[in-house]
Amino acid sequence: MSAETKDAVVEELIDESAAEEQATEAPANGEVSDADSTADDADSDDSGLTDEERLVEEGEIAGDYLEQLLDVLDFDGDIDLDVDGDRAIVSIDGGSDLVKLVGKNGEILDALQELTRLAVQRTTGDRSRLMLDVARWRADRRERLARLGNEVAERVRDGGEREELDPMSPFERKIVHDAVAAVDGVYSESEGTEPNRRVVVLKG
């Protein structure tokens, strides 16, 4: 498959995700609810599986779906499956081509995550909240945001002036809120409306 054809297939992921999202009314970023709040209760499961077994099953279905996609694109990648709390975690690492599955600001990764969740839902009948990472983009982003939250919290604690961060997704805000909460003498809250909702750090 030529590089141009691969790029075209990757670009179609966004369009396909948008169409699926409109049909199912699922949020494009894949979050069932604002991560600043408590997540929705898990869907009822009448299959007899435990919660962990259900999440393992989700990961395996997602892994099969993504393996087929990598074969179509002729991309090299190792798929790793894990469970973290109430989510299945699927990670793809490997060849340099994988960055094309991330896109600017993770746009293509978000679309691919949503398509993967929908593939799982078509098999299980239940909405999935699995998290997909490619080429460690989300993991690295999490680390950077945690550092940012800690640095801002310490500045506010020492200087007393409130600070506003740039707009972020619900998932990203949750990471910053957790980092701020680990610093004594400050607290954080979210202000604004999507897509311009942001974290504000205050002394308290």
Side-chain angles (χ1 to χ4, degrees):
M1 182 183 294
S2 69
E4 291 78 7
T5 302
K6 291 180 182 180
D7 289 343
V9 172
V10 170
E11 288 173 2
E12 286 177 4
L13 287 172
I14 296 178
D15 295 335
E16 185 178 349
S17 176
E20 291 277 10
E21 173 196 349
Q22 185 175 13
T24 61
E25 297 183 353
N29 64 12
E31 293 305 313
V32 175
S33 62
D34 190 326
D36 293 341
S37 307
T38 302
D40 292 342
D41 291 336
D43 294 333
S44 60
D45 183 9
D46 298 326
S47 65
L49 298 176
T50 66
D51 288 344
E52 184 171 357
E53 289 171 340
R54 177 176 55 80
L55 293 174
V56 169
E57 180 186 40
E58 284 190 14
E60 291 173 345
I61 295 168
D64 290 342
Y65 171 79
L66 293 166
E67 186 173 6
Q68 293 175 19
L69 175 65
L70 294 178
D71 287 343
V72 169
L73 293 171
D74 195 24
F75 284 0
D76 291 327
D78 297 321
I79 300 175
D80 182 62
L81 310 178
D82 198 1
V83 172
D84 183 11
D86 61 350
R87 291 179 189 267
I89 307 296
V90 183
S91 304
I92 307 177
D93 292 298
S96 58
D97 277 339
L98 291 178
V99 296
K100 296 179 180 178
L101 296 179
V102 175
K104 183 179 180 181
N105 297 322
E107 182 184 39
I108 294 175
L109 175 56
D110 284 342
L112 181 56
Q113 176 176 274
E114 181 60 22
L115 287 174
T116 305
R117 288 176 170 181
L118 291 168
V120 171
Q121 182 175 342
R122 282 194 293 267
T123 300
T124 65
D126 296 323
R127 176 173 289 179
S128 171
R129 299 182 64 247
L130 74 83
M131 185 68 66
L132 173 65
D133 196 5
V134 174
R136 284 190 54 83
W137 189 86
R138 292 197 199 280
D140 291 344
R141 177 69 171 158
R142 178 191 289 270
E143 292 173 2
R144 289 194 299 270
L145 288 171
R147 286 197 301 270
L148 174 64
N150 181 263
E151 291 169 359
V152 172
E154 290 181 347
R155 284 203 303 268
V156 171
R157 179 197 62 195
D158 297 339
E161 296 292 330
R162 63 175 261 160
E163 287 197 31
E164 294 183 1
L165 279 65
D166 291 334
M168 299 178 185
S169 70
F171 178 73
E172 291 172 332
R173 294 196 301 271
K174 176 65 166 55
I175 296 170
V176 176
H177 285 310
D178 288 347
V180 173
V183 178
D184 292 335
V186 295
Y187 68 97
S188 62
E189 55 189 30
S190 293
E191 293 183 357
T193 57
E194 303 290 3
N196 297 314
R197 194 163 172 79
R198 67 190 65 215
V199 174
V200 179
V201 182
L202 309 96
K203 192 166 185 176

